[in-house]
Amino acid sequence: MITRQACADAEGAFEPVGLPLVNADGEDYEYNLYKTATSRYPQSPSAGYELLRFGRIINTEHETLVPADAPLWMTVNYPGGQGVVNLAVAAVKKFSDADFPHWTGWQLIDDDKDTHSQCNSAAIRKLRDEDRYEAQSSKLICCIPFEWEKSTIDARYKWLMTGLPWEQCAPEKTATWQIPGSQESKDRILMSEEDYGRFKQHAEALCFDSGALGSGKVWHFDPRGFIEHFRKCGWVSLSEMIQTVPSSALRKTSRDRYAWEVINSRLKTPGSVLVNHINNLNNMMRKYCINTPYRISCFLGNAVQETQWLSTLHEGGGSNLWYAPWYGRGFLQLTNPENYLNYFEYTGTSVQASLKHSLVDAYATIAAQPPAKRSNTTLQDRHFPTLPSDIIGLREGVSENNSSNISAADSAGFYWVKNKMAKYADMENTLERVSVNSNSGTKYYYRSSSFWKASAAVNLPGRINSLYSPSLNGFDARCCAYGVALAILTEDKFPDTSGNLTILFPEGYTHRKY
């Protein structure tokens, strides 16, 4: 936790108050947010998670904090020492990077009133005088005339030929001007009418129809600062998400043999899983801090494969599986009664302890049988008369393919934070190239220990330290999705046959176009 205050000797600058305060969890603070939310806000852990994450409830349509005035007490520094503040109250304003907060350096410059396409801002002059301009320049947002409007070229540039109002012009076409705020003056040669005509013709050729933009001043960002800042945005557009899905992938057919198969190509068809859930996925990733290229790649590497390349939200042949009707649903395939009921409790649904105990025991009894003897008969809903219809509806609803169903994505976010997948996704990502034999010759996929652990955390937690154990279903195929996601979302290169990082896109894979 960092508190900042305005600098007394530098207008518009902010400085930290005291040393940063470190939570008792230290570096694990974020990874433990799920545990903290369930402990502090037991009646509404999901809403509590949003309160911890954002300082307020973001998804007010689906989340209700219980009680409504539940506090968020945090220790903060202030000039007189330390105190405790309830950040949840409405009087405390909350901001994000999208607000370009001024205490992080962003500054609006709108004090330049001339229309001559020059910089005569007193605020910028002051930054230069204080030797702060270079450090601040990429975060200045300046209100100046739109530069690509043909009709305003003379108003903005004719002074090159005629001189500015504050210049003294001599007959020999020399203009003398005094540097604002100083006694220094400089001379310049005025353009001839012929030279100005050529300049104007060239400028007009660069202009375009700007509509209402061209009529006055507009806000300008420094391109470098704007791009650097917007790289923090983790929102993945439909076209970007489509590119993260491999056009072909590996499927293991025997111990050391694979099929190389073309996969789902109807990603942007109206009504498809991706089209219907693109916003839900982005909202979920924002809520659960799946907000770096490596975290997003780890998530997609699993979700894309588990949904059969984003073609379905339920496990294939689910009703015939030994753990039906509690088979996999959602983007990370919420599976078995305990996981479902934990999720429902997390979202604020009340579950009878005796019912939960009965279902978990029934599942465990079946799971303890040899695979050939497992049957879902005793797990059917009719054997649990206290199982409410609303919980059955919630279970079935996780796999509904419509944009109003947030649980398909949200349950995946629940899995992500409950199993601390981010902790593994944040580990050093060292890619290893793996070659396999397929029906289409030698093919490759790329794996890393961090992706393995993130995948095992939700699929095979008991073997998380058994690196690349064959017990994890479809890990090779997950790696196909992971590698393509890395290629789209990061600037990493992939190892070649010698282990050198020289390859821009996974070898043998075709970049899927939108």
Side-chain angles (χ1 to χ4, degrees), residues 30 43 118 208 246 266 356 391 399 405 430 441 491:
E30 181 196 319
Q43 295 174 275
Q118 291 190 332
F208 56 88
R266 302 182 61 192
K356 185 175 184 179
I391 287 184
S399 61
N405 170 29
T430 302
E491 296 172 358

Side-chain angles (χ1 to χ4, degrees), residues 86-196:
N86 180 9
L87 300 181
V89 299
V92 176
K93 304 302 180 185
K94 288 81 177 180
F95 299 89
S96 72
D97 285 327
D99 296 299
F100 298 91
H102 58 280
W103 63 87
T104 63
W106 293 100
Q107 185 174 349
L108 296 177
I109 303 294
D110 62 352
D111 63 339
D112 194 344
K113 304 303 181 185
D114 74 66
T115 60
H116 305 290
S117 287
Q118 291 190 332
C119 180
N120 288 304
S121 163
I124 291 180
R125 191 181 310 124
K126 186 175 183 180
L127 288 173
R128 289 189 179 279
D129 292 342
E130 296 174 352
D131 292 326
R132 294 195 292 127
Y133 177 76
E134 290 301 322
Q136 187 76 16
S137 61
S138 66
K139 289 189 172 182
L140 299 179
I141 309 173
C142 302
C143 191
I144 56 177
F146 186 71
E147 59 266 65
W148 307 110
E149 172 57 39
K150 185 183 298 186
S151 65
T152 62
I153 289 176
D154 282 339
R156 291 183 288 118
Y157 291 114
K158 201 169 185 178
W159 59 269
L160 293 169
M161 179 177 65
T162 62
L164 289 162
W166 55 82
E167 289 181 320
Q168 296 179 352
C169 299
E172 56 272 18
K173 293 294 183 181
T174 299
T176 302
W177 61 285
Q178 185 173 336
I179 299 176
S182 73
Q183 299 300 313
E184 184 181 354
S185 62
K186 288 188 176 182
D187 295 338
R188 68 178 181 85
I189 303 299
L190 297 173
M191 267 189 179
S192 67
E193 188 172 348
E194 180 182 356
D195 286 343
Y196 179 76

Side-chain angles (χ1 to χ4, degrees), residues 155-473:
R156 291 183 288 118
Y157 291 114
K158 201 169 185 178
W159 59 269
L160 293 169
M161 179 177 65
T162 62
L164 289 162
W166 55 82
E167 289 181 320
Q168 296 179 352
C169 299
E172 56 272 18
K173 293 294 183 181
T174 299
T176 302
W177 61 285
Q178 185 173 336
I179 299 176
S182 73
Q183 299 300 313
E184 184 181 354
S185 62
K186 288 188 176 182
D187 295 338
R188 68 178 181 85
I189 303 299
L190 297 173
M191 267 189 179
S192 67
E193 188 172 348
E194 180 182 356
D195 286 343
Y196 179 76
R198 285 199 295 267
F199 162 77
K200 183 177 178 180
Q201 184 179 23
H202 177 71
E204 287 178 338
L206 297 175
C207 291
F208 56 88
D209 182 9
S210 58
L213 280 177
S215 61
K217 294 183 176 182
V218 293
W219 292 102
H220 290 66
F221 286 84
D222 177 279
R224 300 162 302 169
F226 183 82
I227 292 172
E228 181 181 359
H229 188 65
F230 245 73
R231 284 171 69 99
K232 298 177 183 178
C233 177
W235 194 273
V236 184
S237 69
L238 179 63
S239 63
E240 290 168 332
M241 191 71 83
I242 285 173
Q243 293 176 70
T244 66
V245 182
S247 53
S248 298
L250 293 164
R251 179 175 59 84
K252 200 166 189 176
T253 55
S254 63
R255 182 176 180 180
D256 57 358
R257 193 74 180 175
Y258 292 80
W260 179 253
E261 299 172 328
V262 175
I263 56 179
N264 182 15
S265 61
R266 302 182 61 192
L267 296 169
K268 62 180 179 180
T269 303
S272 70
V273 167
L274 186 54
V275 169
N276 281 350
H277 292 270
I278 182 67
N279 288 338
N280 294 333
L281 282 168
N282 276 296
N283 285 326
M284 177 277 294
M285 290 192 292
R286 177 182 61 181
K287 173 175 178 174
Y288 294 107
C289 298
I290 308 177
N291 53 4
T292 72
Y294 295 105
R295 291 185 182 187
I296 297 173
S297 296
C298 272
F299 173 78
L300 292 178
N302 285 282
V304 168
Q305 187 272 345
E306 292 204 17
T307 55
Q308 297 179 40
W309 316 105
L310 297 179
S311 66
T312 182
L313 290 173
H314 58 80
E315 192 172 3
S319 60
N320 296 318
L321 297 171
W322 66 264
Y323 42 89
W326 303 91
Y327 55 82
R329 295 178 178 89
F331 280 96
L332 283 184
Q333 299 289 278
L334 196 63
T335 307
N336 95 41
E338 186 171 20
N339 285 331
Y340 272 97
L341 297 178
N342 284 342
Y343 173 63
F344 298 151
E345 289 176 322
Y346 169 74
T347 57
T349 299
S350 178
V351 177
Q352 287 183 348
S354 57
L355 170 64
K356 185 175 184 179
H357 183 77
S358 297
L359 281 164
V360 170
D361 278 356
Y363 175 88
T365 299
I366 301 170
Q369 299 294 316
K373 293 185 177 181
R374 292 173 185 167
S375 167
N376 61 33
T377 301
T378 58
L379 203 54
Q380 297 305 300
D381 295 341
R382 64 179 180 274
H383 296 298
F384 303 91
T386 60
L387 179 63
S389 59
D390 61 333
I391 287 184
I392 295 174
L394 289 173
R395 181 190 67 202
E396 305 300 317
V398 175
S399 61
E400 288 182 2
N401 182 25
N402 58 69
S403 59
S404 63
N405 170 29
I406 70 164
S407 61
D410 188 67
S411 62
F414 159 79
Y415 252 3
W416 175 275
V417 293
K418 184 177 184 295
N419 295 284
K420 300 183 180 181
M421 287 180 72
K423 185 172 185 176
Y424 305 111
D426 290 345
M427 291 178 173
E428 184 177 358
N429 184 59
T430 302
L431 288 175
E432 176 187 348
R433 172 189 172 105
V434 180
S435 62
V436 297
N437 296 318
S438 81
N439 58 331
S440 296
T442 302
K443 295 296 178 183
Y444 306 94
Y445 66 85
Y446 301 84
R447 66 188 184 187
S448 70
S449 60
S450 63
F451 180 58
W452 160 264
K453 290 182 177 182
S455 303
V458 292
N459 293 285
L460 198 66
R463 305 294 295 275
I464 196 168
N465 292 315
S466 301
L467 196 61
Y468 308 134
S469 167
S471 300
L472 201 165
N473 179 47

